[in-house]
RNA sequence: GCCAAUGUAGCUCAGCCUGGCUAGAGCAUUCGCCUUGUAAGCGAAAGGUCGUGGGUUCAGAUCCCGCCAUUGGCUCCA
C-alpha cells in the first residue's frame, strides 16, 4: 500500500464521472469541502490484506496525533502505484481502514470515480509525508520524518525565555522593563513570540547595487550572488581581517572540501540529524552534498590527529568560501540570507567542560573586538544566550560573566533538556532598520561530536577521551557583515548623517580631480606618492564639470577629495575636501597621509580594484 | 515551500485598469561643443526577445493560464 499524506488547510473535490464498473454508487455527486484535515491519498497494491490496512491506519493515526489533527479524509488514488490490487479488494480494505479509525472524524472520497480537486497544503515540515506499507514491513519507513528529526526535536523541546541583566539577575520577559532596551525587545519578541512586521524592502538591497558591490546572478540559483570589483575588494579585506584575528588568537587555518559523500559512514549520523536543506549532487553513483558548515571537514581532519591533553585547547580555523544552505526560496533576502555564503568557522578542541568554559570567554572577547573593528559596536546588536538548565546550575558564574561583558541585558533561552549537540550557545543579533534580527558572531559548546567523529586525545592518566568542541564564528557570514554595514549606512542617511564605510574598507579612499588637462602630470606624480603609503587613490580625468565630478565622488562615499589647479600645483599644501565635514581644509602633504594612515592602522590593505583613471572605468551601476 | 505584490533600454521608472499610430522619459553610454575652483554645462546619436512559455483576439506590454525571478508576509534560519 502506498500513501501520500498531506496536512491541509482545506480540500475541495467534485466527483465528475464513474471510471470503473465497480465504482461506488453515490446519490448526489456534489462538491465536498473539508477544512483542517489530513488527506491520505491511498493506493491499494496487489498482495495487501487487512493486516496491511490495519498497520497503515495506525501509522496515519500516529502521525496525526503528532501534528494535532483529528480529521481524516481517505482519498483513493490509483496513480501512486503501477501494481494495483483488484478494485473489489481495494474497496474492502479502504472500508476496513475507515472502520479502524472511527475514533477520528473520518470520511472517504468515492471509489472508482474521476474527481477534480483543489487542495491547500500547510507549510510546516511534517505536513507532507509518504509511506509504503507492505505485509513484511511492519515498521515502514516514513521518509519525510526521517530527515526531520532535528525539526521534530526542536518543536518538542521545552524552553523558558528570560532576560538576564549584567548583574546576573534573571526576569521573565513579561516582567522586564524594555524602555531603555528597545532593540532587545524586538529580539525577544522575534525569537520567543515569532512576531515580525515590515512592509518595505531592506535598504541594503538597493545600496548593494548602487554602490556596485553585489547583485543577484540570474544564471545561478537564487541566493548565489555576484560581487563586483568594489564588493570583492570590501569582502576580501573583511575576510583577511577576520582571518588575521583568528590566527592571532591561535587558530590554525586549514582548507577542507566543499562536498561530502552523504553515505560515508562518518557522515551518516551527523547528516541525519539535520533537515534536508542542502544542495545534492549525484556523481558516479555517489550522493554528494555541498557542505553547510565547516564542522565536518575539520572534525574528519581532527579524527586523524594524535592529540595529548597537553595540546589542548587546539584550534582549527577555516574561512569557507562557500558554505551552502538551500534555504527555502521565500527566505532569501539580499545579502542577509543567502544560499552560498562565506563563513569563518573556528573549532577549539578542549579537554573537558571546564577548559571549554574558560576558552569560551577568550573567544567571546575576540568576537566582540572583531565586530567592533569592523565598525559594529554593542549598540548595534543584542545578545542571546541559550543553555540547558543543568549547565546553568553548574556554570552560573561563567554565564554571568559573558552577560557582564556584553554590558546590557541579554535574552536567555533555558532548555529543560539538551537537543542537537550543544549545552550552551550564544550569539550576537544585529537588529536592522526594519526590526529584523540576524545572527552575527556565535559560539557553542558541543559535547557530542567529539564522540560521533571519533576525535580522541590521551589524558593525564593515559586514557583515551573525546574532546569538548567549541564552534565559533567571530564575525558571522562575511556577506552578512556587508549587509550590516550597508544597513547602518542607510540608517545614517535616513537620519540626516552622511553614509560611509570605515575608511579601511572604502574602495577609493582619496579622489583627485584635476581642474584642467594641464594638471594631469602633476596629479599622476601626486597619486604615485600617495599610493606608496598604502592608500587607494584614483583620478577623475573625465571631461566633466568640476561640480559634477565632486558630486559623483560624494555619491561614491569617497572620504577625501583633492581638487588640483594652479593654486595646489604651486603650493606645499593640499586643498582637501573632507566628506565628514563637507568643508575644504588646507593641509601639508605629509600630515594628510598621516591622518589617513592613523585611521587604517592595523587593518589589511589591498590596492585599487578598478582602473586608476575614471575615464578607463566601465560604468557598472548608476 | 505557501499567500500576495512586482518584473518594460545598462540603471530608475511611465504606459497596462478601459487591447489599436513608430513602446516613452531621466540617468548612464558614444559623438560633438564647452575648458571648468568644491554636489548635476549644452546638443545629437545609439540603445527594447515589454521576465518566460502558452491561450483568447482581426490585433496583446496591455486580458487569461502555467513557469522563472525579486520583494513582503508565513514557515524556517542546525
Amino acid at each position: 500500500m502506498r500513501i501520500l499524506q498531506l496536512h491541509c488547510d482545506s480540500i475541495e473535490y467534485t466527483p465528475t464521472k464513474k471510471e470503473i464498473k465497480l465504482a461506488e454508487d453515490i446519490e448526489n455527486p456534489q462538491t465536498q469541502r473539508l477544512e483542517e484535515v489530513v488527506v491520505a491519498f491511498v493506493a491499494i497494491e496487489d498482495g495487501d490484506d487487512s493486516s496491511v490496512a490495519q498497520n497503515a491506519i495506525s501509522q496515519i493515526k500516529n502521525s496525526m496525533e503528532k501534528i494535532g489533527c483529528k480529521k481524516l479524509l481517505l482519498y483513493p488514488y490509483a496513480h501512486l502505484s503501477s501494481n494495483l490490487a483488484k478494485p473489489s479488494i481495494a474497496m474492502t480494505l479502504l472500508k476496513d481502514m475507515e472502520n479502524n479509525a472511527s475514533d477520528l472524524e473520518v470520511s472517504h472520497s468515492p471509489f472508482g470515480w474521476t474527481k477534480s480537486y483543489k487542495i491547500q497544503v500547510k507549510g510546516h515540515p511534517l505536513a507532507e509525508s509518504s509511506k509504503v506499507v507492505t505485509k513484511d514491513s511492519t515498521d515502514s519507513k516514513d521518509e519525510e520524518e526521517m530527515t526531520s528529526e532535528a525539526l521534530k526535536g526542536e518543536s518538542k523541546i521545552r524552553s523558558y525565555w528570560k532576560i538576564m541583566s549584567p548583574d546576573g539577575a534573571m526576569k521573565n520577559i513579561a516582567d522586564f522593563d524594555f524602555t531603555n532596551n528597545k532593540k532587545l525587545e524586538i529580539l525577544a519578541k522575534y525569537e520567543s513570540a515569532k512576531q515580525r512586521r515590515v512592509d518595505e524592502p531592506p535598504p541594503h538591497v538597493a545600496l548593494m547595487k548602487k554602490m556596485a558591490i553585489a547583485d543577484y546572478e540570474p544564471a545561478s540559483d537564487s541566493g548565489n550572488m555576484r560581487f563586483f570589483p568594489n564588493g570583492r575588494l570590501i569582502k576580501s579585506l573583511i575576510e583577511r581581517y577576520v582571518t588575521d584575528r583568528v590566527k592571532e588568537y591561535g587558530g590554525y587555518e586549514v582548507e577542507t572540501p566543499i562536498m561530502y559523500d552523504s553515505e560515508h559512514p562518518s557522515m551518516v549520523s551527523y547528516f541525519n540529524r539535520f533537515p534536508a536543506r542542502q544542495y545534492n549532487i549525484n556523481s558516479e553513483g555517489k550522493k554528494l552534498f555541498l557542505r553547510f558548515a565547516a564542522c565536518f571537514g575539520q572534525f574528519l581532519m581532527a579524527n586523524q590527529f594524535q592529540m595529548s591533553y597537553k595540546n589542548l585547547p587546539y584550534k582549527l580555523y577555516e574561512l569557507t568560501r562557500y558554505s551552502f544552505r538551500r534555504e527555502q526560496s521565500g527566505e532569501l533576502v539580499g545579502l542577509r540570507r543567502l544560499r552560498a555564503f562565506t563563513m569563518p568557522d573556528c573549532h577549539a578542541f578542549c579537554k573537558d567542560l571546564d577548559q571549554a568554559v574558560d576558552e569560551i570567554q577568550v573567544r567571546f572577547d575576540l568576537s566582540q573586538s572583531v565586530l567592533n573593528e569592523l565598525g559594529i559596536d554593542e549598540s548595534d546588536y543584542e545578545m542571546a544566550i541559550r543553555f540547558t538548565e543543568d549547565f546553568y546550575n553548574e556554570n552560573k558564574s561563567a554565564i554571568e560573566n559573558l552577560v557582564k561583558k556584553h554590558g546590557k541585558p541579554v535574552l536567555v533561552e533555558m532548555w529543560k533538556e539538551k537537543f542537537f549537540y550543544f549545552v550552551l550557545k550564544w550569539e550576537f543579533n544585529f537588529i536592522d532598520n526594519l526590526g529584523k534580527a540576524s545572527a552575527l558572531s556565535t559560539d557553542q559548546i558541543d559535547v557530542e561530536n567529539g564522540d560521533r567523529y571519533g576525535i580522541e586525545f590521551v589524558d593525564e592518566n593515559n586514557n583515551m577521551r573525546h574532546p569538548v568542541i567549541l564552534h565559533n564564528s567571530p564575525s558571522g557570514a562575511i556577506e552578512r557583515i556587508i549587509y550590516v554595514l550597508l544597513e547602518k549606512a542607510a540608517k545614517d542617511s535616513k537620519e540626516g548623517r552622511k553614509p560611509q564605510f570605515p575608511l579601511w574598507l572604502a574602495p577609493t579612499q582619496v579622489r583627485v580631480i584635476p581642474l584642467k588637462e594641464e594638471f594631469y602630470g602633476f596629479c599622476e606624480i601626486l597619486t604615485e606618492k600617495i599610493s606608496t603609503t598604502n592608500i587607494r587613490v584614483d583620478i577623475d580625468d573625465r571631461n566633466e564639470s568640476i561640480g559634477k565630478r565632486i558630486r559623483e565622488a560624494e555619491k561614491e562615499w569617497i572620504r577625501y577629495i583633492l581638487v588640483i589647479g594652479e593654486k595646489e600645483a604651486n603650493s606645499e599644501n593640499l586643498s582637501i575636501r573632507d566628506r565628514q565635514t563637507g568643508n575644504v581644509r588646507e593641509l601639508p602633504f605629509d600630515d594628510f597621509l598621516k591622518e589617513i594612515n592613523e585611521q587604517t592602522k592595523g587593518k589589511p590593505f589591498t590596492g585599487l580594484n578598478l582602473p586608476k583613471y575614471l575615464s578607463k572605468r566601465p560604468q557598472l551601476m548608476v
Side-chain angles (χ1 to χ4, degrees):
Chain A
M1 182 177 304
R2 287 169 185 266
I3 299 170
L4 174 66
Q5 184 186 321
L6 303 173
H7 188 196
C8 304
D9 288 321
S10 69
I11 180 165
E12 235 178 76
Y13 65 87
T14 316
T16 50
K17 70 166 204 277
K18 279 193 185 182
E19 212 165 46
I20 53 174
K21 244 196 247 165
L22 261 174
E24 233 175 303
D25 282 323
I26 39 176
E27 294 154 20
N28 202 0
Q30 269 181 353
T31 298
Q32 302 288 326
R33 183 182 167 85
L34 294 166
E35 287 179 4
E36 272 305 309
V37 62
V38 166
V39 179
F41 291 96
V42 182
I44 316 286
E45 294 182 290
D46 200 15
D48 289 347
D49 59 20
S50 59
S51 76
V52 172
Q54 200 141 21
N55 191 354
I57 197 72
S58 78
Q59 280 191 40
I60 292 174
K61 277 156 91 172
N62 226 324
S63 58
M64 283 177 68
E65 196 173 318
K66 268 185 222 161
I67 53 183
C69 182
K70 289 208 152 17
K71 204 187 291 178
L72 173 66
L73 174 67
L74 293 171
Y75 197 113
Y77 201 71
H79 318 288
L80 289 173
S81 174
S82 52
N83 182 29
L84 290 168
K86 285 192 185 124
S88 57
I89 296 176
M91 272 173 83
T92 320
L93 292 183
L94 273 169
K95 201 88 212 144
D96 271 10
M97 287 172 75
E98 196 171 347
N99 292 338
N100 276 322
S102 52
D103 49 329
L104 295 169
E105 195 182 317
V106 62
S107 58
H108 74 273
S109 63
F111 187 89
W113 285 70
T114 307
K115 300 174 281 279
S116 68
Y117 66 97
K118 208 162 86 186
I119 190 162
Q120 167 76 42
V121 182
K122 288 182 183 292
H124 67 76
L126 298 180
E128 302 171 278
S129 68
S130 65
K131 305 178 200 305
V132 180
V133 188
T134 60
K135 241 182 127 170
D136 355 279
S137 78
T138 41
D139 185 33
S140 82
K141 286 191 177 175
D142 190 324
E143 290 162 30
E144 190 58 34
E145 288 182 26
M146 288 266 289
T147 52
S148 296
E149 278 303 316
L151 283 180
K152 274 202 308 194
E154 187 168 28
S155 59
K156 241 195 290 182
I157 197 82
R158 281 206 292 156
S159 63
Y160 306 97
W161 295 91
K162 307 261 184 189
I163 301 292
M164 190 189 285
S165 300
D167 62 8
M170 281 219 268
K171 274 189 178 175
N172 288 328
I173 289 182
D175 303 332
F176 187 81
D177 178 11
F178 285 103
T179 317
N180 296 316
N181 298 280
K182 286 290 172 206
K183 282 186 187 170
L184 182 64
E185 184 174 22
I186 293 172
L187 179 67
K189 296 220 165 119
Y190 199 83
E191 288 291 336
S192 61
K194 309 271 180 198
Q195 194 183 83
R196 290 145 225 210
R197 180 176 300 138
V198 235
D199 54 1
E200 47 185 311
H204 83 276
V205 174
L207 278 181
M208 77 187 186
K209 297 182 192 186
K210 212 167 83 192
M211 303 306 288
I213 288 173
D215 201 356
Y216 304 105
E217 173 51 72
S220 181
D221 191 25
S222 328
N224 288 258
M225 309 295 275
R226 52 159 78 133
F227 281 81
F228 300 111
N230 278 350
R232 181 60 214 148
L233 177 132
I234 291 172
K235 190 162 172 247
S236 133
L237 286 170
I238 299 174
E239 287 168 5
R240 275 176 56 191
Y241 179 70
V242 175
T243 301
D244 288 350
R245 290 297 306 273
V246 174
K247 289 182 74 175
E248 201 178 282
Y249 149 72
Y252 300 107
E253 190 177 11
V254 296
E255 185 172 324
T256 62
I258 65 162
M259 62 178 84
Y260 293 86
D261 184 345
S262 56
E263 285 168 349
H264 188 276
S266 356
M267 232 58 237
V268 172
S269 67
Y270 192 75
F271 191 75
N272 281 341
R273 275 181 73 89
F274 294 105
R277 283 280 166 73
Q278 65 280 319
Y279 282 109
N280 295 307
I281 300 172
N282 288 325
S283 173
E284 294 188 329
K286 281 190 179 171
K287 287 186 182 153
L288 304 170
F289 70 96
L290 297 183
R291 65 174 171 200
F292 41 84
C295 305
F296 22 86
Q298 292 179 23
F299 295 169
L300 291 164
M301 184 183 281
N303 169 285
Q304 297 197 320
F305 289 179
Q306 297 283 308
M307 288 192 286
S308 144
Y309 72 96
K310 294 176 194 163
N311 308 138
L312 306 183
Y314 187 79
K315 302 134 197 169
L316 290 179
Y317 166 76
E318 181 170 8
L319 184 90
T320 65
R321 200 161 103 210
Y322 293 101
S323 285
F324 298 88
R325 295 183 191 180
R326 221 202 57 229
E327 309 288 6
Q328 297 184 85
S329 54
E331 292 161 357
L332 303 168
V333 192
L335 290 171
R336 187 164 88 88
R337 193 88 179 273
L338 296 167
R339 282 182 173 171
F341 55 94
T342 307
M343 191 71 153
D345 209 340
C346 177
H347 294 93
F349 302 96
C350 302
K351 64 177 182 160
D352 51 30
L353 210 50
D354 283 345
Q355 191 174 60
V357 167
D358 288 344
E359 193 61 27
I360 205 169
Q361 303 283 343
V362 183
R363 297 149 69 89
F364 188 92
D365 296 342
L366 171 70
S367 305
Q368 239 178 2
S369 156
V370 164
L371 284 190
N372 227 304
E373 295 295 316
L374 287 168
I376 304 165
D377 63 44
E378 282 82 358
S379 68
D380 294 315
Y381 57 82
E382 299 297 334
M383 177 173 161
I385 188 164
R386 301 142 204 266
F387 38 74
T388 61
E389 195 168 9
D390 291 348
F391 185 85
Y392 172 68
N393 289 331
E394 285 154 30
N395 298 277
K396 248 184 197 163
S397 70
I399 288 174
E400 285 168 8
N401 202 32
L402 292 177
V403 175
K404 203 163 143 195
K405 283 179 203 252
H406 182 57
K408 293 195 294 182
V410 161
L411 177 66
V412 169
E413 182 180 12
M414 186 147 74
W415 300 307
K416 216 56 192 152
E417 56 192 285
K418 179 180 63 148
F419 73 109
F420 297 142
Y421 49 74
F422 40 83
V423 290
L424 176 138
K425 174 189 180 178
W426 64 257
E427 86 247 349
F428 294 147
N429 290 282
F430 175 73
I431 313 290
D432 74 13
N433 299 320
L434 308 175
K436 287 273 196 178
S438 3
L440 297 173
S441 322
T442 176
D443 206 354
Q444 306 167 357
I445 302 181
D446 169 358
V447 296
E448 275 186 18
N449 283 309
D451 180 21
R452 177 169 294 125
Y453 279 82
I455 304 168
E456 292 178 323
F457 68 94
V458 182
D459 73 4
E460 293 90 328
N461 306 315
N462 204 24
N463 292 324
M464 279 295 189
R465 283 172 50 196
H466 300 299
V468 171
I469 305 172
L470 301 181
H471 299 234
N472 172 231
S473 181
S475 63
I478 305 297
E479 291 83 356
R480 198 169 266 188
I481 294 290
I482 299 175
Y483 144 78
V484 170
L485 294 176
L486 290 175
E487 287 291 325
K488 274 172 64 89
K491 188 177 178 208
D492 283 344
S493 185
K494 201 172 145 197
E495 292 174 1
R497 295 181 299 272
K498 285 187 177 174
Q500 57 177 352
F501 287 119
L503 191 58
W504 67 282
L505 290 175
T508 295
Q509 294 164 320
V510 179
R511 162 87 29 102
V512 173
I513 303 180
L515 207 54
K516 294 183 193 164
E517 222 175 301
E518 57 185 282
F519 302 114
Y520 284 9
F522 182 87
C523 289
E524 175 61 29
I525 295 166
L526 178 70
T527 53
E528 280 303 318
K529 279 201 293 191
I530 295 177
S531 48
T532 54
T533 59
N534 284 357
I535 292 171
R536 286 183 290 273
V537 54
D538 57 21
I539 302 176
D540 191 347
D541 60 331
R542 294 171 307 161
N543 179 17
E544 298 288 354
S545 72
I546 194 80
K548 177 158 180 175
R549 283 181 287 171
I550 285 172
R551 178 180 155 84
E552 293 196 355
E554 289 277 352
K555 281 172 68 181
E556 286 178 53
W557 302 356
I558 294 169
R559 171 74 187 274
Y560 298 106
I561 301 171
L562 309 180
V563 175
I564 302 297
E566 318 267 348
K567 211 174 74 189
E568 289 74 19
N570 299 316
S571 155
E572 295 296 307
N573 287 354
L574 295 168
S575 308
I576 299 152
R577 184 185 162 108
D578 185 339
R579 183 155 182 276
Q580 248 171 22
T581 59
N583 297 327
V584 179
R585 281 185 288 154
E586 298 247 336
L587 217 59
F589 180 72
D590 289 334
D591 291 3
F592 175 56
L593 298 188
K594 226 167 93 187
E595 180 179 326
I596 297 177
N597 287 324
E598 275 300 307
Q599 296 174 71
T600 56
K601 208 169 68 189
K603 300 295 195 309
F605 172 81
T606 185
L608 275 181
N609 202 28
L610 287 169
K612 175 172 166 186
Y613 288 95
L614 266 74
S615 65
K616 304 280 184 211
R617 228 175 249 190
Q619 189 78 33
L620 295 184
M621 294 281 173
V622 180

